[in-house]
Amino acid sequence: MELLEAEDVTPSRVRLVPRPVMLQGWNDLASIHWRYEPDVVQALLPEGFRVDTFDGSAWVGVLPFHMRRVRLPGLPAFGPLSTFPETNVRTYLIDPAGRRAVWFCSLDITRLITALVARVSYRLPYCWAQMSIERDRDLITYTSRRRWPRPGAGEAESRTVIRVGQQVRPADVDELQVFLTARWA
């Protein structure tokens, strides 16, 4: 299996989106990643999709954040339904057309109706969860406990505490950070 090189991932989008299907803002985002053996992650992907690797490893991330002003293009935000905490679990792949992309293992949010509509309309694995984001000066605490669909044997839950540091300058962004964040498909 031939994989593309990390240099093919760029911090700038490589093509314009001709017609966006949703607009949104992400605030207070944390990005936490772990290395995995590529074969372990490949087993989670549908046929035709290939795990993308960096430094010989597949990467799986947990990203908690505050989603704000979710809306359809040309329409206003949907009031309280359009702002909520979200935690997504994701990995990185190459699709059948050769494009590098994000693969969502799960997307947990606090709005049941939004989760149901997103599951049906976007065919993404949205789940309903009890979640909170608390900020105390430079500490942010994210908590999440899945409500629906219930996992088989155990609870799907997380608690993440981060300390906000200095803003990262573009010159300080390394190749792994670009690989994990510069995804446009």
Side-chain angles (χ1 to χ4, degrees):
M1 167 181 348
E2 178 183 300
L3 295 179
L4 301 173
E5 295 299 319
E7 296 83 55
D8 297 331
V9 177
T10 63
S12 306
R13 68 175 183 239
V14 293
R15 61 190 169 283
L16 292 176
V17 175
R19 190 177 49 126
V21 294
M22 184 184 349
L23 302 172
Q24 58 201 272
W26 293 14
N27 297 90
D28 298 324
L29 181 130
S31 179
I32 305 136
H33 285 81
W34 292 267
R35 286 179 182 264
Y36 276 83
E37 288 296 323
D39 291 344
V40 171
V41 176
Q42 183 65 49
L44 302 172
L45 302 177
E47 190 173 321
F49 291 83
R50 298 176 291 152
V51 65
D52 199 356
T53 61
F54 183 90
D55 194 25
S57 296
W59 294 83
V60 175
V62 172
L63 287 82
F65 59 95
H66 202 164
M67 180 82 85
R68 294 189 188 270
R69 298 187 39 79
V70 175
R71 61 202 180 281
L72 297 173
L75 295 176
F78 308 124
L81 291 177
S82 67
T83 297
F84 46 82
E86 177 171 325
T87 298
N88 69 56
V89 178
R90 65 202 254 175
T91 192
Y92 306 94
L93 56 73
I94 300 169
D95 75 6
R99 296 173 298 190
R100 289 185 132 147
V102 173
W103 179 263
F104 293 106
C105 302
S106 67
L107 301 114
D108 288 15
I109 60 175
T110 58
R111 305 283 188 236
L112 175 60
I113 190 70
T114 306
L116 293 171
V117 168
R119 241 179 201 266
V120 171
S121 58
Y122 297 112
R123 296 188 344 216
L124 290 170
Y126 274 92
C127 302
W128 179 41
Q130 179 180 336
M131 303 175 80
S132 68
I133 302 173
E134 298 174 15
R135 189 172 195 138
D136 182 13
R137 292 184 294 263
D138 63 343
L139 288 180
I140 302 177
T141 303
Y142 309 86
T143 58
S144 178
R145 191 173 122 289
R146 185 163 308 150
R147 293 176 167 179
W148 176 90
R150 290 269 190 209
E155 295 288 324
E157 60 183 85
S158 64
R159 181 174 186 271
T160 305
V161 180
I162 65 161
R163 182 177 307 278
V164 178
Q166 297 297 316
Q167 184 172 356
V168 177
R169 298 175 322 160
D172 295 332
V173 174
D174 65 28
E175 289 182 40
L176 176 59
Q177 291 166 327
V178 170
F179 177 85
L180 298 172
T181 60
R183 301 294 169 142
W184 307 102

